[in-house]
Amino acid sequence: MSKQPIDFQISAVDGNARTGVLTTRRGGIETPVFMPVGTAGTVKGIRFEQLEADDLDARIILGNTYHLWLRPGIEVIKACGGLHNFIGWERAMLTDSGGFQVWSLADIRKITEEGTEFRSHIDGALCFLSPEISMELQAALGAEIAMAFDECPPGEASREDARRSMDLTLRWAKRSKEAFDDAQAAGLPLDTGASGLSGKQALFGIIQGSSHLDLRHESLERTAEIGFDGYAIGGLSVGEEKPVMLEIIEEIAPRMPADKPRYLMGVGTPEDLVEAVARGIDMFDCVVPTRNGRTGQAFTSRGKLNIKNARFASDTLPLDDSCQCSVCRRHSRAFIRHLYLAGEMLASILLTHHNLAFFLDTMRHVRQAIRSSQFAKFRREFTEHLSSGLE
Amino acid sequence: MSKQPIDFQISAVDGNARTGVLTTRRGGIETPVFMPVGTAGTVKGIRFEQLEADDLDARIILGNTYHLWLRPGIEVIKACGGLHNFIGWERAMLTDSGGFQVWSLADIRKITEEGTEFRSHIDGALCFLSPEISMELQAALGAEIAMAFDECPPGEASREDARRSMDLTLRWAKRSKEAFDDAQAAGLPLDTGASGLSGKQALFGIIQGSSHLDLRHESLERTAEIGFDGYAIGGLSVGEEKPVMLEIIEEIAPRMPADKPRYLMGVGTPEDLVEAVARGIDMFDCVVPTRNGRTGQAFTSRGKLNIKNARFASDTLPLDDSCQCSVCRRHSRAFIRHLYLAGEMLASILLTHHNLAFFLDTMRHVRQAIRSSQFAKFRREFTEHLSSGLE
């Protein structure tokens, strides 16, 4: 059997939930895993040293191809030796294809069979992205995992629109795979030593189909036929109702190839993560812990905390009494509230750090629960605790 | 001999430059020392863990009484157990009196014999600060070193204005000392174990007199007569020409009580620090490394670097090749430039960290040079190197 770009071994299952290790050329990643989002080459508000520290220990982060392509530009990143070298991060990375970012940020001019024409959200410049261009960009960035170029329809897309979009995404998936294989053949794989890996990048396919279950099933089947190193569910958490999202995950996730990682893109809250794990998902990314941190919201084991609230003015408790992160070991709600109201950068820094700790810690607890066949109990208690109210 | 609030021992002198150890109830501080400014209870853009880390190892930071008084308010800080507990910093602190901040930030309504009436820069509320109020506030904050309440005239003040202001500052210095002694007698000193210290706060007097040398001499003499635990030169770097500033330091610093710390307030650039040490100064504070970091300027051993400059777009060198800080060990100019142009918080975080490292490192080199009687050589080479241009 030929060497693979990544290796994925499941070590325990509990219901549909599973835990295992995803091995990349830049180290192993225990799953289920939450991946902090490093849009423009930085997880906003946090230093890489802290992502690596024991209380976070993030093993993989995201980079956004669209953002990095527009700024600083691929030539700069190439000149600096690829994305890892450019940003100074030696652990694993995943890059998205740019498709979703174009959909959500840019002024889209035209979607054709060939690709997407749009205007940059930074300077309005006319740009064009296609499966081939996305694969070329992602090969230059050099993340361990790249994503196929897809089209993301809105959550409430009609059946007709959703089918048209899904068919296009499938044709783009084939073109992504071909272009990706060409780029990998042309590129110089990293030395992976005795890891048994090929040294190439992995490519994940993306299942679309909006809120239409039959289209989702068809998308899954036809995407799997093309053959990828892992599979993602895209186009969720984009406007549809939460029960619809959970139903689609429940129907689709357990039917995704069992021997490959299953990645739910852009989701979600701590509850969403636990509910999706229960339905068979292995990987997550979301801006919620970092973005909400910057607007004064802390995630805690007893639910969300708005640091602006006057009740915290002299509150000497940490953000979360049961959290062991460096922020909760040192700083009080009163201090962080003061920093936030004074417009101090440290407020965002501390809230971001704590929120990432809470998300990553939740995933650690999830993995332990699955390993000890206690996931159902964990899920029930976690959910109850979340709604129990702050001290 | 009765116990003192601080102890100051000179271990070596070289010309007028001197090195020693200032011992506070929260640890020892090697001098000459640069004190990062933590205006509102945070040194902007940096976590306390990083101030404590080996590459910075800041032993003392500043807090601004004016800012903390207006927000979050002294009652909040008292309720949280004083300034150290409130912000989560166990090392030494110094608080200013609020006098300078009122002068530089607030809308001053009236200066009377009693004190200063002004409007808050935050919400325009009418406030009043006097020697007695400042001492009460500083006692509640509980820093190891407090400052007398002074009036700061502009650098170009006329002799008449400067004298009037200096006389007022002297009367306020006496009132500061009396109010301070009362507050200390009323307060509960910290347990200082076997340190030999009294456990009380120290109070420094401030020498004023604008750019008029004779007034500066008189201010020094009369301030020393009142008797303080240390002495500061205030009212420099406030609009006067640099040679005027250096002349005043040269005249005044060597005549300040030799057995007490000599503190030059609000100064300055790395060159200023070295030049002031050469004239006998022991302590410094300045917002330059943090503020300039946030606007894209790095201090390096070869001079200042504007990270916005296009020449750094693909520059894989660190900010300063001869710097061993955690930023220079990990990140390139190209990456930090990208972060800055993308408006990412991490740009300010990294530039702030490096700039503080450069200032604190410069002071370490200064101390080594004095100890080995090589200060003149160090000063010449440091200055030459600063103007040698970037790689």
Side-chain angles (χ1 to χ4, degrees):
Chain A
M1 189 181 142
S2 71
K3 287 184 175 184
Q4 298 298 312
I6 52 173
D7 178 68
F8 184 55
Q9 300 292 334
I10 305 282
S11 58
V13 295
D14 188 357
N16 279 326
R18 43 203 235 152
T19 182
V21 177
L22 170 64
T23 305
T24 74
R25 59 193 186 186
R26 286 179 184 265
I29 300 153
E30 288 188 88
T31 63
V33 63
F34 178 79
M35 305 182 283
V37 178
T39 308
T42 161
V43 179
K44 288 184 196 297
I46 192 159
R47 286 183 63 172
F48 292 102
E49 287 85 350
Q50 287 160 343
L51 290 170
E52 291 162 352
D54 283 347
D55 63 335
L56 297 189
D57 196 20
R59 298 296 179 90
I60 178 168
I61 62 173
L62 246 72
N64 285 123
T65 297
Y66 166 84
H67 282 94
L68 293 163
W69 177 39
L70 296 190
R71 188 170 53 195
I74 292 297
E75 291 312 314
V76 165
I77 296 176
K78 271 188 184 171
C80 293
L83 184 55
H84 290 85
N85 284 336
F86 177 61
I87 69 175
W89 170 255
E90 296 193 346
R91 297 186 177 187
M93 294 194 79
L94 180 151
T95 48
D96 65 0
S97 67
F100 179 77
Q101 304 284 324
V102 166
W103 177 73
S104 67
L105 284 177
D107 170 21
I108 299 181
R109 309 296 290 181
K110 206 166 45 174
I111 298 181
T112 64
E113 187 62 32
E114 181 56 19
T116 308
E117 191 180 274
F118 61 94
R119 288 199 181 274
S120 151
H121 75 289
I122 299 173
D123 60 5
L126 201 59
C127 306
F128 181 74
L129 211 47
S130 68
E132 290 75 17
I133 294 170
S134 174
M135 294 309 113
E136 188 188 328
L137 295 171
Q138 291 188 77
L141 292 173
E144 285 54 56
I145 301 173
M147 300 300 298
F149 186 70
D150 61 336
E151 207 245 323
C152 180
E156 65 277 18
S158 70
R159 163 174 303 273
E160 195 184 1
D161 286 347
R163 164 160 291 285
R164 193 184 309 119
S165 171
M166 183 197 77
D167 283 336
L168 181 62
T169 285
L170 281 160
R171 291 192 297 276
W172 284 1
K174 275 185 204 142
R175 282 167 53 192
S176 291
K177 178 108 173 21
E178 282 166 24
F180 180 82
D181 287 343
D182 290 349
Q184 294 302 307
L188 290 172
L190 284 185
D191 177 12
T192 57
S195 70
L197 299 178
S198 67
K200 293 179 177 172
Q201 294 175 282
L203 182 65
F204 282 21
I206 302 175
I207 297 160
Q208 290 287 1
S210 189
S211 303
H212 305 280
L213 261 184
D214 57 333
L215 295 182
R216 288 279 179 181
H217 277 289
E218 181 180 338
S219 178
L220 162 57
E221 191 177 326
R222 292 170 60 191
T223 306
E225 270 169 22
I226 300 170
F228 290 94
D229 302 305
Y231 296 88
I233 303 181
L236 288 186
S237 210
V238 290
E240 79 286 2
E241 299 286 325
K242 187 149 291 193
V244 172
M245 176 180 95
L246 290 176
E247 190 197 359
I248 291 169
I249 300 170
E250 183 149 340
E251 279 287 318
I252 299 301
R255 294 175 173 84
M256 291 163 77
D259 59 340
K260 304 286 184 192
R262 299 162 175 170
Y263 166 25
L264 178 58
M265 301 183 80
V267 177
T269 64
E271 305 91 297
D272 292 340
L273 266 52
V274 170
E275 289 308 306
V277 165
R279 290 160 174 81
I281 296 292
D282 306 306
M283 301 169 68
F284 302 90
D285 79 282
C286 195
V287 295
V288 153
T290 43
R291 179 177 294 165
N292 292 23
R294 296 196 303 283
T295 58
Q297 188 174 70
F299 289 89
T300 84
S301 56
R302 288 166 174 266
K304 285 181 267 190
L305 179 159
N306 181 342
I307 202 66
K308 296 183 280 292
N309 198 311
R311 65 181 277 203
F312 303 126
S314 300
D315 188 338
T316 57
L317 287 174
L319 291 172
D320 187 345
D321 230 354
S322 53
C323 178
Q324 294 300 312
C325 83
S326 57
V327 177
C328 287
R329 284 198 306 261
R330 183 159 199 162
H331 297 299
S332 66
R333 294 167 178 175
F335 180 53
I336 299 172
R337 178 174 187 273
H338 158 64
L339 294 172
Y340 189 87
L341 295 182
E344 288 288 346
M345 227 193 298
L346 191 61
S348 293
I349 293 172
L350 298 181
L351 286 163
T352 295
H353 186 111
H354 165 76
N355 283 349
L356 285 174
F358 183 71
F359 274 62
L360 291 162
D361 226 36
T362 296
M363 299 315 271
R364 259 187 291 276
H365 294 313
V366 159
R367 294 191 297 264
Q368 285 160 4
I370 299 170
R371 274 197 292 270
S372 54
S373 304
Q374 300 283 316
F375 184 70
K377 179 166 174 280
F378 166 83
R379 179 183 172 192
R380 193 175 56 243
E381 291 177 354
F382 180 80
T383 309
E384 281 171 13
H385 207 57
L386 270 186
S387 54
S388 66
L390 292 173
E391 285 141 291
Chain B
M1 188 179 141
S2 71
K3 288 184 175 182
Q4 298 298 312
I6 52 173
D7 178 69
F8 184 55
Q9 301 292 335
I10 305 282
S11 58
V13 295
D14 188 357
N16 280 326
R18 44 203 233 150
T19 181
V21 177
L22 170 63
T23 305
T24 74
R25 58 193 186 185
R26 287 180 184 265
I29 301 153
E30 288 187 88
T31 63
V33 62
F34 177 79
M35 304 181 283
V37 179
T39 308
T42 162
V43 179
K44 288 183 195 295
I46 191 158
R47 287 184 63 173
F48 292 102
E49 288 85 351
Q50 287 159 344
L51 290 170
E52 291 161 353
D54 283 348
D55 62 336
L56 297 189
D57 196 20
R59 297 298 178 89
I60 178 168
I61 63 173
L62 245 72
N64 285 122
T65 297
Y66 166 84
H67 282 94
L68 294 163
W69 178 39
L70 295 191
R71 187 171 53 196
I74 292 296
E75 291 312 313
V76 165
I77 297 175
K78 271 187 183 170
C80 294
L83 184 55
H84 290 84
N85 284 336
F86 177 62
I87 70 174
W89 170 256
E90 297 192 348
R91 297 187 177 186
M93 295 194 79
L94 180 151
T95 47
D96 64 1
S97 67
F100 179 76
Q101 305 284 324
V102 165
W103 177 73
S104 68
L105 283 177
D107 170 18
I108 298 181
R109 309 295 291 179
K110 205 165 44 174
I111 299 181
T112 64
E113 185 64 31
E114 181 57 19
T116 309
E117 190 182 273
F118 60 95
R119 289 201 180 274
S120 149
H121 76 290
I122 298 174
D123 60 7
L126 200 60
C127 306
F128 181 74
L129 211 46
S130 68
E132 291 74 19
I133 295 171
S134 174
M135 294 308 111
E136 188 187 329
L137 295 171
Q138 291 188 76
L141 293 172
E144 285 54 55
I145 301 173
M147 300 299 299
F149 187 70
D150 61 337
E151 208 244 325
C152 180
E156 65 277 18
S158 70
R159 163 175 302 273
E160 196 185 1
D161 287 346
R163 163 161 292 284
R164 194 184 307 121
S165 171
M166 182 197 78
D167 283 336
L168 182 61
T169 285
L170 281 160
R171 292 192 297 277
W172 284 0
K174 275 185 206 145
R175 283 167 53 193
S176 291
K177 176 103 170 20
E178 282 165 25
F180 180 82
D181 287 343
D182 291 348
Q184 295 302 306
L188 289 171
L190 284 185
D191 177 13
T192 57
S195 70
L197 299 178
S198 67
K200 294 179 178 173
Q201 294 176 281
L203 182 65
F204 283 20
I206 303 176
I207 297 159
Q208 291 286 359
S210 190
S211 303
H212 306 279
L213 260 185
D214 57 334
L215 295 183
R216 287 280 178 182
H217 278 289
E218 181 180 338
S219 178
L220 161 58
E221 191 178 326
R222 293 171 59 191
T223 306
E225 270 168 22
I226 300 172
F228 289 95
D229 302 305
Y231 296 88
I233 303 181
L236 288 184
S237 209
V238 290
E240 79 285 2
E241 299 285 326
K242 186 147 293 193
V244 172
M245 175 180 94
L246 290 176
E247 190 197 359
I248 291 169
I249 301 170
E250 184 150 337
E251 279 288 317
I252 298 301
R255 293 175 172 84
M256 291 164 77
D259 59 341
K260 305 285 184 191
R262 299 163 176 169
Y263 167 26
L264 178 59
M265 301 182 80
V267 177
T269 64
E271 304 91 298
D272 291 340
L273 266 52
V274 170
E275 290 308 306
V277 165
R279 290 159 173 81
I281 295 292
D282 306 306
M283 301 170 68
F284 302 90
D285 79 283
C286 195
V287 295
V288 152
T290 43
R291 179 178 293 166
N292 292 23
R294 294 198 303 283
T295 58
Q297 188 175 71
F299 289 89
T300 84
S301 56
R302 288 166 174 266
K304 285 182 267 189
L305 178 159
N306 181 344
I307 202 66
K308 297 183 279 292
N309 199 312
R311 67 182 275 206
F312 303 125
S314 301
D315 188 338
T316 57
L317 287 174
L319 291 172
D320 186 345
D321 231 353
S322 52
C323 178
Q324 294 299 311
C325 83
S326 58
V327 176
C328 287
R329 284 199 306 262
R330 182 158 199 162
H331 297 298
S332 65
R333 295 168 177 175
F335 180 52
I336 299 171
R337 178 175 188 273
H338 158 64
L339 294 173
Y340 190 87
L341 295 182
E344 289 287 347
M345 227 191 300
L346 192 60
S348 293
I349 294 172
L350 298 181
L351 286 163
T352 295
H353 187 110
H354 164 76
N355 283 350
L356 285 175
F358 183 70
F359 274 62
L360 291 161
D361 226 36
T362 296
M363 298 315 273
R364 260 186 290 277
H365 294 315
V366 160
R367 294 192 296 265
Q368 284 161 4
I370 298 171
R371 273 197 292 270
S372 54
S373 305
Q374 300 283 314
F375 183 71
K377 179 165 175 279
F378 165 83
R379 178 182 170 192
R380 192 174 57 244
E381 291 176 354
F382 180 81
T383 309
E384 280 172 14
H385 207 56
L386 270 186
S387 55
S388 65
L390 293 172
E391 286 140 290

